[in-house]
Amino acid sequence: MVQVVISGYGRMGHMIESVLKSRGIPCAGASEDIVNFDDDIANESVCIDFTCPDAFRANYKALARKFKAVVVGTTGWNDIKDEVVAFFEECGTPMIYSSNYSVGVNVLTAAVELVSKYLGKAGGYSPYIVEKHHIHKLDAPSGTAKSLAAAVETGIPGRTEISSVRIGELAGTHTVGFEGENDRITIEHEAFSRKGFAEGAVVAATMTEGLAGVHEFKELFFKED
């Protein structure tokens, strides 16, 4: 069985701790200062990182060096993705990353790819995305919205318009629309709480057993046995 260390002990960190407890998975610690976390414990643990973009940028090399494997839920670092992936591969540390660990959002993304494929063949549809999150979220557009835009653009090339709303304590709502002359198709996912993200991240941590390399969560989630 894996044991987990949590990097970032805010709202998501506490939620992950609760999910670990409910699943009987050992939590070997939680820290806001993961760079100085005990090396011996780290070496035997999977780190789940839900911090902020600046913290992940500063810490990713320490994560790759110290831990048995790393699950990254932090977004806002896509511009350095190539160097992050290269460093984890150089260290031989398995990493799973995702802009959103919600099972529902990953199914939404697959559905968006399919709809975009067929509407792209038909022509005449303009896609858009509206994402709404709580006021504490630092990146806009969200990493999930960017991933959904990439899914749209597999079938309808070009820049997909994204609108971001930050209000209250919304866990997260993503709406993907395809506007045509005669009709409109909308697909929406609404998170009721952050628990779905935590559940998915813990599932990802269990996937690191025997895993090699760097993977996006959705490719592992949809992988056929």
Side-chain angles (χ1 to χ4, degrees):
M1 179 183 289
V2 300
Q3 71 174 18
V4 170
V5 169
I6 302 167
S7 175
Y9 200 43
R11 298 180 182 202
M12 276 302 300
H14 282 83
M15 186 69 73
I16 290 165
E17 184 179 44
S18 175
V19 171
L20 291 170
K21 183 177 180 180
S22 70
R23 289 174 173 252
I25 298 173
C27 180
S31 178
E32 296 284 2
D33 182 20
I34 206 68
V35 172
N36 294 310
F37 193 82
D38 183 272
D39 287 340
D40 291 333
I41 297 175
N43 190 52
E44 298 298 323
S45 304
V46 178
C47 181
I48 299 181
D49 182 276
F50 271 92
T51 52
C52 65
D54 287 345
F56 179 76
R57 289 166 186 270
N59 296 343
Y60 80 84
K61 290 185 177 179
L63 294 174
R65 292 192 188 106
K66 291 168 72 77
F67 286 91
K68 183 179 179 181
V70 179
V71 171
V72 182
T74 305
T75 59
W77 53 273
N78 197 57
D79 57 311
I80 61 166
K81 178 181 172 182
D82 288 347
E83 63 188 75
V84 171
V85 169
F87 193 80
F88 270 83
E89 290 179 341
E90 179 185 328
C91 292
T93 304
M95 181 180 86
I96 300 175
Y97 68 95
S98 180
S99 59
N100 194 311
Y101 282 96
S102 162
V103 169
V105 164
N106 281 277
V107 173
L108 169 71
T109 303
V112 167
E113 286 184 0
L114 184 63
V115 171
S116 183
K117 172 185 175 182
Y118 289 115
L119 293 183
K121 286 183 178 180
Y125 284 85
S126 299
Y128 63 89
I129 296 171
V130 179
E131 58 99 351
K132 302 174 184 178
H133 280 90
H134 52 85
I135 58 174
H136 313 288
K137 188 167 180 61
L138 298 179
D139 54 327
S142 68
T144 301
K146 292 176 182 177
S147 294
L148 288 168
V152 168
E153 289 157 16
T154 61
I156 304 177
R159 183 174 177 271
T160 303
E161 291 296 326
I162 303 175
S163 296
S164 300
V165 178
R166 298 289 176 266
I167 186 169
E169 297 296 334
L170 289 175
T173 299
H174 291 85
T175 306
V176 183
F178 300 87
E179 184 89 11
E181 182 179 353
N182 302 308
D183 55 15
R184 178 191 304 114
I185 297 171
T186 56
I187 311 172
E188 183 174 275
H189 176 272
E190 179 182 358
F192 299 144
S193 74
R194 296 176 178 85
K195 187 178 180 182
F197 312 139
E199 292 273 7
V202 171
V203 168
T206 66
M207 290 178 171
T208 61
E209 287 287 281
L211 190 69
V214 176
H215 305 268
E216 191 168 5
F217 178 60
K218 67 178 182 180
E219 71 182 74
L220 297 175
F221 182 75
F222 289 111
K223 185 178 180 180
E224 295 184 8
D225 294 332

